[in-house]
Amino acid sequence: PQGSLTDLPKALDERFGELGLGEGWVAARERERAEGMVERLAAYIQKRESDGVTEVQVEAPVNQRVGDAVIRGSMDRVERGPSGTRIVDLKTGGTAVSKEKALTHAQLGIYQLAAQEAAAEGEASDGAELVYVGGSTQAPSERFQPPLEEGGGWARELLDDTVAVMRGSAFMAVLNETCRHCPVKTSCP
């Protein structure tokens, strides 16, 4: 939950061997990549601490009924600060989504919806954020999503639409950015 540029590399030293990469160029490349991620994570943590974050939960479990759906998973970080509670998803990939796409990022929106449903009366939301620690940038790339409107807005609509599709007897094939990786691409209409 916390960690400085001194602490986090020590933790990496202690646990890197658990990845089972052995010796050689692959392990050396992954170690270098991990060191970069640790540096960017330490920078992010330092920034958030200076923003006034006082409490952090890591791998916070989610098991929340929202309408006819149950949202289950774990949130990488739940940070509490002067502006309220912020949900943070750490990303190790090298390419960040655009700031515009982050505004309606489904994973963040659904986690915010679950948190909104479970929130105590008067508990403020500080939105959600994707924090990209992978890649080759000096600092982490951050993509903010504002707090959902009361009732969940677009995220509630997305969840309700998904529930309706999952209850249906047929699924519509829809072109999207994951089509190129789809194992049934050749049989898709």
Side-chain angles (χ1 to χ4, degrees):
Q2 283 81 27
S4 68
L5 196 47
T6 304
D7 302 327
L8 292 176
K10 287 178 186 172
L12 179 63
D13 286 341
E14 292 170 7
R15 306 214 35 211
F16 189 77
E18 294 175 23
L19 295 175
L21 297 174
E23 304 283 326
W25 69 271
V26 172
R29 187 187 77 220
E30 290 303 310
R31 175 60 189 235
E32 185 177 315
R33 185 171 172 267
E35 288 170 351
M37 285 191 271
V38 162
E39 288 173 14
R40 287 183 282 281
L41 178 59
Y44 172 78
I45 290 171
Q46 181 180 18
K47 174 183 167 278
R48 290 300 288 152
E49 286 175 351
S50 68
D51 289 344
V53 168
T54 56
E55 182 186 333
V56 178
Q57 235 185 321
V58 294
E59 295 299 320
V62 178
N63 188 3
Q64 181 64 47
R65 177 168 287 284
V66 178
D68 289 338
V70 176
I71 300 169
R72 286 194 183 103
S74 63
M75 296 178 277
D76 291 342
R77 291 175 63 90
V78 177
E79 303 173 343
R80 287 182 178 76
S83 301
T85 300
R86 181 177 294 186
I87 297 165
V88 178
D89 191 53
L90 300 172
K91 298 293 188 188
T92 58
T95 306
V97 299
S98 70
K99 289 179 181 178
E100 183 179 315
K101 282 191 176 187
L103 297 175
T104 55
H105 190 274
Q107 181 183 10
L108 290 183
I110 297 301
Y111 280 156
Q112 280 204 78
L113 186 59
Q116 186 181 73
E117 199 72 20
E121 185 70 31
E123 190 175 338
S125 171
D126 190 27
E129 190 170 26
L130 297 168
V131 178
Y132 290 84
V133 295
S136 59
T137 58
Q138 289 257 329
S141 297
E142 299 176 45
R143 300 294 186 261
F144 182 71
Q145 184 179 86
L148 296 176
E149 60 192 57
E150 187 66 35
W154 66 267
R156 181 61 187 253
E157 187 177 312
L158 174 64
L159 182 64
D160 290 345
D161 290 349
T162 302
V163 168
V165 168
M166 295 303 293
R167 285 185 167 157
S169 60
F171 294 95
M172 179 70 69
V174 178
L175 284 174
N176 64 69
E177 57 195 36
T178 60
C179 288
R180 61 188 171 148
H181 303 292
C182 182
V184 294
K185 177 171 82 174
T186 56
S187 64
C188 184

